Coordinates of all heavy atoms in Angstrom, one line a residue:
L595 N -9.8 -15.3 32.8 CA -11.3 -15.1 32.7 C -11.7 -13.7 32.5 O -12.7 -13.4 31.8 CB -12.0 -15.7 34.0 CG -11.9 -17.2 34.2 CD1 -12.6 -17.6 35.5 CD2 -12.5 -17.9 33.0
T596 N -11.0 -12.7 33.1 CA -11.3 -11.3 32.9 C -10.7 -10.6 31.8 O -11.1 -9.5 31.3 CB -10.9 -10.6 34.2 OG1 -9.5 -10.7 34.4 CG2 -11.7 -11.1 35.4
R597 N -9.7 -11.2 31.1 CA -9.0 -10.6 30.0 C -9.9 -10.5 28.8 O -10.5 -11.5 28.4 CB -7.7 -11.3 29.6 CG -6.9 -10.7 28.5 CD -5.7 -11.6 28.2 NE -4.9 -10.9 27.2 CZ -3.8 -11.5 26.6 NH1 -3.4 -12.7 27.0 NH2 -3.1 -10.9 25.7
T598 N -10.0 -9.4 28.1 CA -10.9 -9.2 27.0 C -10.3 -10.0 25.8 O -9.1 -9.8 25.4 CB -11.0 -7.8 26.6 OG1 -11.5 -7.1 27.7 CG2 -12.0 -7.5 25.5
P599 N -11.1 -10.8 25.1 CA -10.6 -11.5 23.9 C -10.3 -10.6 22.8 O -11.1 -9.5 22.6 CB -11.7 -12.5 23.6 CG -13.0 -11.9 24.1 CD -12.5 -11.2 25.5
V600 N -9.4 -10.9 22.0 CA -8.9 -10.0 20.9 C -9.1 -10.9 19.6 O -8.5 -12.0 19.5 CB -7.5 -9.5 21.0 CG1 -7.1 -8.7 19.8 CG2 -7.3 -8.6 22.3
Y601 N -9.7 -10.3 18.6 CA -10.0 -11.0 17.4 C -9.1 -10.4 16.3 O -8.7 -9.3 16.2 CB -11.5 -10.9 16.9 CG -12.4 -11.5 17.9 CD1 -13.0 -10.8 19.0 CD2 -12.8 -12.8 17.9 CE1 -13.8 -11.2 19.9 CE2 -13.7 -13.4 18.8 CZ -14.2 -12.6 19.8 OH -15.1 -13.1 20.8
E602 N -8.7 -11.3 15.3 CA -7.9 -10.9 14.2 C -8.5 -11.2 12.9 O -9.2 -12.2 12.7 CB -6.4 -11.6 14.2 CG -5.6 -11.2 15.3 CD -4.2 -11.9 15.3 OE1 -4.1 -12.8 14.4 OE2 -3.3 -11.5 16.0
A603 N -8.4 -10.2 11.9 CA -8.9 -10.3 10.6 C -7.9 -10.0 9.5 O -7.1 -9.1 9.8 CB -10.2 -9.5 10.4
E604 N -7.8 -10.8 8.5 CA -6.8 -10.6 7.5 C -7.4 -10.1 6.2 O -8.5 -10.5 5.8 CB -6.0 -11.9 7.3 CG -5.1 -12.2 8.4 CD -4.3 -13.5 8.1 OE1 -4.5 -14.0 6.9 OE2 -3.4 -13.9 8.9
A605 N -6.6 -9.4 5.4 CA -7.0 -9.0 4.1 C -5.8 -9.1 3.2 O -4.6 -8.7 3.7 CB -7.5 -7.6 4.1
L606 N -5.8 -9.7 2.1 CA -4.7 -9.9 1.2 C -4.8 -8.8 0.1 O -5.8 -8.6 -0.5 CB -4.7 -11.3 0.6 CG -4.7 -12.4 1.6 CD1 -4.6 -13.8 0.9 CD2 -3.5 -12.3 2.6
V607 N -3.6 -8.3 -0.2 CA -3.5 -7.3 -1.3 C -2.4 -7.6 -2.3 O -1.3 -7.9 -1.8 CB -3.3 -5.9 -0.8 CG1 -3.2 -4.9 -1.9 CG2 -4.5 -5.5 0.1
Q608 N -2.7 -7.6 -3.6 CA -1.6 -7.8 -4.6 C -1.0 -6.5 -4.9 O -1.6 -5.6 -5.5 CB -2.2 -8.4 -5.9 CG -1.3 -8.5 -7.0 CD -0.2 -9.7 -6.8 OE1 -0.6 -10.8 -6.6 NE2 1.0 -9.2 -6.9
A609 N 0.3 -6.4 -4.5 CA 1.0 -5.2 -4.9 C 1.5 -5.3 -6.3 O 2.0 -6.3 -6.8 CB 2.3 -5.0 -4.0
R610 N 1.2 -4.2 -7.1 CA 1.6 -4.2 -8.5 C 2.6 -3.0 -8.8 O 2.4 -1.9 -8.2 CB 0.4 -4.0 -9.4 CG -0.5 -5.3 -9.2 CD -1.7 -5.3 -10.2 NE -2.6 -6.4 -10.0 CZ -2.4 -7.5 -10.5 NH1 -1.3 -7.8 -11.2 NH2 -3.4 -8.5 -10.2
P611 N 3.5 -3.2 -9.8 CA 4.4 -2.0 -10.0 C 3.6 -0.9 -10.8 O 2.5 -1.1 -11.3 CB 5.3 -2.7 -11.1 CG 5.2 -4.2 -10.9 CD 3.9 -4.4 -10.5
T612 N 4.1 0.3 -10.6 CA 3.4 1.5 -11.2 C 3.8 1.5 -12.6 O 5.0 1.7 -12.9 CB 3.7 2.7 -10.5 OG1 3.4 2.6 -9.0 CG2 3.1 3.9 -11.1
V613 N 2.9 1.5 -13.5 CA 3.2 1.6 -15.0 C 2.8 2.9 -15.4 O 1.6 3.4 -15.4 CB 2.4 0.5 -15.8 CG1 2.7 0.6 -17.3 CG2 2.8 -0.9 -15.3
L614 N 3.8 3.8 -15.9 CA 3.5 5.1 -16.2 C 3.4 5.3 -17.7 O 2.8 6.3 -18.3 CB 4.5 6.1 -15.7 CG 4.7 6.1 -14.1 CD1 5.8 7.0 -13.7 CD2 3.4 6.5 -13.5
T615 N 4.0 4.4 -18.5 CA 4.0 4.5 -19.9 C 3.7 3.2 -20.5 O 4.1 2.1 -20.0 CB 5.3 5.1 -20.5 OG1 6.4 4.2 -20.3 CG2 5.6 6.5 -19.9
T616 N 3.2 3.1 -21.8 CA 2.9 1.9 -22.5 C 4.2 1.3 -23.0 O 4.3 0.1 -23.4 CB 1.9 2.1 -23.6 OG1 2.4 3.1 -24.5 CG2 0.6 2.5 -23.1
T617 N 5.2 2.1 -23.1 CA 6.5 1.6 -23.6 C 7.3 0.9 -22.5 O 8.3 0.3 -22.8 CB 7.4 2.8 -24.2 OG1 7.5 3.7 -23.1 CG2 6.7 3.4 -25.4
D618 N 6.8 1.0 -21.3 CA 7.5 0.3 -20.2 C 6.4 -0.5 -19.4 O 6.0 -0.2 -18.3 CB 8.1 1.3 -19.2 CG 8.8 0.6 -18.1 OD1 9.2 -0.5 -18.2 OD2 9.0 1.3 -16.9
P619 N 5.9 -1.5 -20.0 CA 4.8 -2.3 -19.4 C 5.1 -3.0 -18.1 O 4.2 -3.2 -17.3 CB 4.4 -3.3 -20.5 CG 5.7 -3.5 -21.2 CD 6.4 -2.1 -21.3
A620 N 6.3 -3.2 -17.9 CA 6.8 -3.8 -16.6 C 6.7 -2.9 -15.4 O 6.5 -3.3 -14.3 CB 8.2 -4.4 -16.7
G621 N 6.8 -1.6 -15.7 CA 6.8 -0.6 -14.6 C 7.9 -0.6 -13.8 O 9.0 -1.3 -14.0
T622 N 7.9 0.1 -12.7 CA 9.0 0.2 -11.7 C 9.1 -1.0 -10.9 O 8.0 -1.6 -10.5 CB 8.9 1.5 -10.9 OG1 7.6 1.5 -10.2 CG2 9.0 2.7 -11.7
E623 N 10.3 -1.5 -10.6 CA 10.4 -2.7 -9.8 C 9.9 -2.4 -8.4 O 10.2 -1.4 -7.7 CB 11.9 -3.1 -9.7 CG 12.1 -4.4 -9.0 CD 13.6 -4.9 -9.1 OE1 14.3 -4.1 -9.8 OE2 13.9 -5.9 -8.5
L624 N 9.2 -3.4 -7.8 CA 8.6 -3.3 -6.5 C 9.6 -3.6 -5.4 O 10.5 -4.6 -5.5 CB 7.4 -4.3 -6.3 CG 6.1 -3.8 -6.9 CD1 5.1 -4.9 -6.7 CD2 5.5 -2.5 -6.2
N625 N 9.6 -2.8 -4.3 CA 10.4 -3.0 -3.1 C 9.3 -3.4 -2.1 O 8.6 -2.5 -1.6 CB 11.3 -1.9 -2.8 CG 12.1 -2.1 -1.5 OD1 11.7 -2.8 -0.6 ND2 13.3 -1.7 -1.5
M626 N 9.2 -4.6 -1.7 CA 8.1 -5.0 -0.8 C 8.3 -4.4 0.6 O 7.3 -4.1 1.3 CB 8.0 -6.5 -0.7 CG 7.6 -7.2 -2.0 SD 6.1 -6.5 -2.8 CE 4.9 -6.9 -1.5
E627 N 9.4 -4.1 1.0 CA 9.6 -3.4 2.3 C 9.1 -2.0 2.2 O 8.4 -1.5 3.2 CB 11.1 -3.3 2.7 CG 11.8 -4.7 3.0 CD 13.2 -4.5 3.5 OE1 13.7 -3.4 3.6 OE2 13.9 -5.5 3.7
T628 N 9.2 -1.4 1.1 CA 8.7 0.0 0.9 C 7.1 -0.2 0.9 O 6.5 0.7 1.5 CB 9.2 0.6 -0.4 OG1 10.6 0.7 -0.4 CG2 8.5 2.0 -0.6
E629 N 6.6 -1.2 0.3 CA 5.1 -1.4 0.2 C 4.6 -1.6 1.6 O 3.5 -1.1 1.9 CB 4.8 -2.6 -0.7 CG 5.2 -2.4 -2.1 CD 4.7 -1.1 -2.8 OE1 3.5 -0.8 -2.7 OE2 5.6 -0.3 -3.3
V630 N 5.3 -2.3 2.5 CA 4.8 -2.4 3.8 C 4.8 -1.1 4.5 O 3.8 -0.7 5.3 CB 5.7 -3.4 4.6 CG1 5.5 -3.4 6.1 CG2 5.6 -4.8 4.0
Q631 N 5.8 -0.2 4.3 CA 5.8 1.0 4.9 C 4.8 1.9 4.5 O 4.1 2.7 5.2 CB 7.2 1.8 4.6 CG 8.4 1.0 5.3 CD 9.7 1.7 4.9 OE1 9.7 2.6 4.2 NE2 10.8 1.1 5.5
I632 N 4.4 1.8 3.2 CA 3.3 2.5 2.6 C 1.9 2.2 3.2 O 1.2 3.0 3.6 CB 3.2 2.4 1.1 CG1 4.4 3.0 0.4 CG2 1.9 3.0 0.5 CD1 4.5 2.8 -1.1
A633 N 1.7 0.8 3.4 CA 0.5 0.3 3.9 C 0.3 0.7 5.4 O -0.9 0.8 5.8 CB 0.5 -1.3 3.8

């Protein structure tokens, strides 16, 4: 009864490869573990 309730909220993000040139439209391959560390 005395414990403070904790609320959770979620946000979704689409991770996309970094495209540096038009000759490489696919960009660098994503490493999702790295993206988690960045976030």
Side-chain angles (χ1 to χ4, degrees):
L595 293 176
T596 58
R597 184 181 181 185
T598 303
V600 176
Y601 299 88
E602 291 184 349
E604 289 185 355
L606 303 182
V607 176
Q608 172 71 57
R610 299 185 182 278
T612 301
V613 179
L614 298 179
T615 66
T616 57
T617 57
D618 182 24
T622 55
E623 184 177 355
L624 279 178
N625 183 323
M626 295 308 294
E627 291 184 4
T628 300
E629 298 307 309
V630 170
Q631 293 176 1
I632 293 174

